[in-house]
Amino acid sequence: MATAGRNGVVKIGSTAIGSVRSWTLDHKSDTIDTTTMSTAGNYRTYVPSLKTWSGSVAVVWDEQDDGQDAAVLGDEITIHFYPDTDGAGHDYYEGQAIITGTGQSASYDGLVERTITFNGTGELSHGVVGA
């Protein structure tokens, strides 16, 4: 079933970040090359290694928003992502992360926007609200 992003929620700790326009969450695994001279078929072979996760949140800047204020450069935070809503029965992702960047942008015919970037530190967990 397809899910519209308009109901998504991002929280730092228990505080929702207001005015979210979009968010990304990238979960990756490094690999280790195990190719040897005798590897069949001349194809490289790999084994999984360390995992990482990172992402960003784009918001309409609101200097009165507690959630946006909680995104302090260099701070370690607990961050939660709800692709649909934060209501019971819906999926979420959460983990500890370090705020690695913040930036604002503005144009004469648009809103002031802010981007918050982060790197995960430790495991990214997945669950269901209320499960």
Side-chain angles (χ1 to χ4, degrees), residues 21-86:
R21 305 263 308 196
S22 65
W23 57 266
T24 63
L25 183 58
D26 301 313
H27 200 193
K28 299 177 183 179
S29 177
D30 293 339
T31 57
I32 299 170
D33 189 336
T34 59
T35 309
T36 65
M37 288 183 187
S38 61
T39 300
N42 294 322
Y43 285 95
R44 291 190 177 277
T45 57
Y46 299 89
V47 295
S49 183
L50 301 173
K51 297 175 186 175
T52 61
W53 60 277
S54 62
S56 64
V57 180
V59 301
V60 174
W61 184 56
D62 179 353
E63 58 192 313
Q64 303 298 315
D65 181 66
D66 292 338
Q68 291 183 33
D69 289 344
V72 177
L73 186 64
D75 277 5
E76 185 170 338
I77 59 166
T78 301
I79 193 162
H80 310 264
F81 299 91
Y82 303 85
D84 191 4
T85 76
D86 60 352

Side-chain angles (χ1 to χ4, degrees), residues 1 15 20 48 50 91 99 126:
M1 174 174 84
T15 304
V20 173
L50 301 173
D91 286 0
I99 302 294
H126 173 253

